[in-house]
Amino acid sequence: MNIVSLIQNEQQLEWRKMLKCVWALSVPAMLSQVTYIVMEYIDAAMVGSLGAAASASIGLVGPLLWFSYGISSAMVQGFSVQVAQFIGAKRMMDSRDTFRQSLIVVTSFAVLFSTIGVIASPHVPELLGATPEIYQGAYEYFLVFMIGMPIIMLRILVTSMLQCSGSIKSVSLFNSIMCVLDILFNFFFIFPTRYIGVGSFELWMPGMGYGVMGAAIGTVMAESVTACILLYLSFVRANYLRQKAGMAWQITKKCLSDACKISAPIAAEQVILSGSHVAMMLLVAPLGTVAIAANSFAITAESLCYMPGMGIAIAAVTLVGQSIGAKKPHFAKGFAKFSVATGMITMGTLGALMYIVAPYVFAFLTPVVEVQQLGTEVLRIELFAEPFFAISIVGAGALRGARDTFFPSLINLASVWGIRMSLAFMLVDKYGLQGIWLAMCIELCVRGMLFLFRIYKQKWNNRGAME
């Protein structure tokens, strides 16, 4: 099914076809996200085998790395939403030109961001409240990621561009390969040279023995290989993106202005969310190494529930953006509704399953019994909010496809800082880590209802279409 052609040429789509389009784009994106989560699980298990301190060192700097990924995604969406709408409007040359400009802007920003991160890296763990036993691991892990940030941002950029052009299957395949590479690289860089028992045989396994730092090196190397492959696909194979000799590599005021209008609220949103994650970590850190590790593993475990929602949100951005570009707001409205419903069903089901299997998941992630018990307890508190979390994730994607980025950012600001952080500050002294996760559950439910109201009231008109 050629979804781009369907949106451009059909005047009416019955609900079955709309749902089929949503699933056609969502399933590959969800599989890619699930594969990525499997990689995170295996990463966490590898590092977890080194002890609670190793896991805590990664968990400590995790919020700042999420901030880095969030800022990268915000910049990318400023250009990728334009590309989706140009494709819907059958403006192929404009989509290719926007892609070239995005490469210039994102690469320049990535180098600057990386430089600042490398300079700041020795001070980051101390500012986050690191104890002496986790300081070195946290510093090395953060430093390696900051060095690799330019290639990571390029991978995020070309991934988003290919997804918005409809090449979700190819992106999902190569992102899955990235996960396999990450596991292989991690085995080599985390652990020292050793013998592994395979039945009655002993297999010699080479390794560098870098520990926590090795996990970061493995991930950055996997990102690098994948970025090179996706760049090749974008430049040579992707119909709406591929480049030809003689095309001008220059930035236009119109493209940059539109990108800023789209990206600025999303970037502000990421600052807000990441700031809350850092503030939350400052609440968690005084609770001790076990609490830090349990919190980190609980976030990793929950990601298996919400990452498929991220995949559906990718489909929503593409479908809504192309519908707006084709000047078919009724398509945009239908795709938004079906995407949100799909997200609620998917994440709600996964949340129910995770509630049952949570003890086994934590047993896989860490051998420390205290971390297993505390992680299971706090995760089960938050899982009740998964359907509402789905509304906020997928709904934000649908709204961004229509270039409505300000209101989702406003919702996140009011909800995260007005509800989550306020409740967490009140509950942490009495209930510890459980109180922090209870605050998170309540806030996600409220945020989901606010997004549902916004989607219901959205006009889905052509005010966001490219001129």
Side-chain angles (χ1 to χ4, degrees):
M1 178 173 57
N2 189 327
I3 295 175
V4 175
S5 177
L6 199 67
I7 292 173
Q8 291 176 343
N9 299 321
E10 295 288 336
Q11 294 304 313
Q12 293 293 331
L13 285 179
E14 60 176 2
W15 70 269
R16 291 181 182 84
K17 282 190 177 181
M18 282 198 168
L19 186 58
K20 189 176 181 180
C21 289
V22 171
W23 274 106
L25 292 185
S26 295
V27 170
M30 283 193 290
L31 291 176
S32 176
Q33 296 292 335
V34 169
T35 306
Y36 186 78
I37 292 310
V38 171
M39 176 188 74
E40 283 200 348
Y41 270 50
I42 295 174
D43 276 5
M46 289 180 184
V47 175
S49 68
L50 302 177
S55 300
S57 64
I58 293 179
L60 184 75
V61 297
L64 284 183
L65 295 179
W66 301 334
F67 168 74
S68 302
Y69 275 90
I71 290 296
S72 303
S73 298
M75 283 202 66
V76 164
Q77 288 192 48
F79 295 98
S80 61
V81 169
Q82 294 185 65
V83 167
Q85 294 189 351
F86 282 136
I87 291 171
K90 302 181 181 180
R91 295 167 60 177
M92 188 178 300
M93 294 305 297
D94 286 326
S95 67
R96 292 174 177 174
D97 183 55
T98 301
F99 176 49
R100 287 196 306 279
Q101 295 186 57
S102 71
L103 286 169
I104 299 171
V105 175
V106 170
T107 302
S108 301
F109 176 82
V111 172
L112 176 62
F113 191 83
S114 175
T115 302
I116 295 172
V118 169
I119 294 172
S121 58
H123 311 288
V124 166
E126 183 179 357
L127 291 174
L128 293 175
T131 58
E133 64 177 332
I134 67 174
Y135 172 87
Q136 189 64 25
Y139 158 63
E140 292 174 348
Y141 193 81
F142 186 78
L143 174 65
V144 172
F145 263 96
M146 287 300 101
I147 293 173
M149 189 52 61
I151 196 69
I152 291 172
M153 289 188 70
L154 274 178
R155 199 273 306 165
I156 293 172
L157 172 64
V158 291
T159 293
S160 183
M161 288 293 178
L162 287 167
Q163 287 168 339
C164 285
S165 68
S167 301
I168 291 184
K169 289 183 179 179
S170 297
V171 172
S172 300
L173 172 64
F174 288 107
N175 279 337
S176 299
I177 293 174
M178 178 181 73
C179 298
V180 176
L181 291 174
D182 180 69
I183 293 169
L184 295 175
F185 286 139
N186 279 357
F187 265 111
F188 178 73
F189 286 105
I190 292 176
F191 304 107
T193 298
R194 63 211 180 278
Y195 285 94
I196 299 177
V198 181
S200 59
F201 299 96
E202 285 194 340
L203 180 64
W204 180 76
M205 182 67 67
M208 299 300 294
Y210 290 149
V212 171
M213 183 173 68
I217 294 173
T219 300
V220 169
M221 288 190 66
E223 290 264 13
S224 301
V225 174
T226 309
C228 292
I229 295 171
L230 294 179
L231 275 169
Y232 169 77
L233 291 177
S234 302
F235 270 84
V236 179
R237 302 290 296 277
N239 188 39
Y240 297 99
L241 302 174
R242 66 170 176 248
Q243 304 296 304
K244 297 179 180 179
M247 289 183 169
W249 285 79
Q250 60 184 19
I251 301 173
T252 64
K253 182 178 179 181
K254 177 74 168 78
C255 180
L256 188 60
S257 174
D258 285 338
C260 289
K261 289 176 183 177
I262 298 169
S263 293
I266 303 175
E269 173 188 334
Q270 291 302 321
V271 171
I272 292 165
L273 292 177
S274 298
S276 71
H277 292 151
V278 172
M280 199 74 75
M281 183 53 65
L282 292 174
L283 291 179
V284 174
L287 300 177
T289 300
V290 170
I292 296 174
N295 184 71
S296 176
F297 282 127
I299 292 171
T300 299
E302 190 217 356
S303 62
L304 186 59
C305 301
Y306 70 72
M307 276 301 183
M310 299 288 190
I312 300 170
I314 290 168
V317 172
T318 302
L319 292 168
V320 172
Q322 291 185 8
S323 297
I324 294 294
K327 301 187 185 301
K328 295 177 180 177
H330 54 295
F331 282 16
K333 181 179 180 180
F335 284 134
K337 291 167 60 178
F338 282 118
S339 297
V340 169
T342 301
M344 291 182 68
I345 293 170
T346 302
M347 286 179 58
T349 302
L350 289 173
L353 291 173
M354 181 59 72
Y355 191 94
I356 297 171
V357 304
Y360 306 102
V361 170
F362 281 92
F364 170 76
L365 293 174
T366 175
V368 182
V369 176
E370 293 86 351
V371 176
Q372 294 175 17
Q373 294 173 343
L374 181 57
T376 299
E377 186 175 345
V378 298
L379 177 60
R380 281 177 166 172
I381 293 172
E382 193 273 341
L383 288 174
F384 289 100
E386 289 302 311
F388 297 95
F389 195 13
I391 300 173
S392 65
I393 292 173
V394 183
L399 292 169
R400 286 168 185 163
R403 300 185 74 191
D404 181 1
T405 57
F406 175 74
F407 200 82
S409 302
L410 189 62
I411 291 176
N412 283 315
L413 170 62
S415 183
V416 171
W417 283 98
I419 300 174
R420 180 187 298 191
M421 294 308 304
S422 298
L423 286 174
F425 275 112
M426 289 189 291
L427 297 174
V428 66
D429 287 338
K430 185 174 182 180
Y431 299 106
L433 190 62
Q434 293 89 334
I436 292 174
W437 279 72
L438 176 60
M440 188 187 309
C441 177
I442 294 171
E443 181 271 322
L444 288 174
C445 291
V446 174
R447 195 198 315 179
M449 296 303 297
L450 292 173
F451 267 97
L452 192 63
F453 177 78
R454 178 61 178 180
I455 291 167
Y456 176 76
K457 290 293 185 180
Q458 178 74 15
K459 298 297 183 183
W460 305 107
N461 55 28
N462 292 314
R463 66 184 176 84
M466 309 304 295
E467 298 176 357

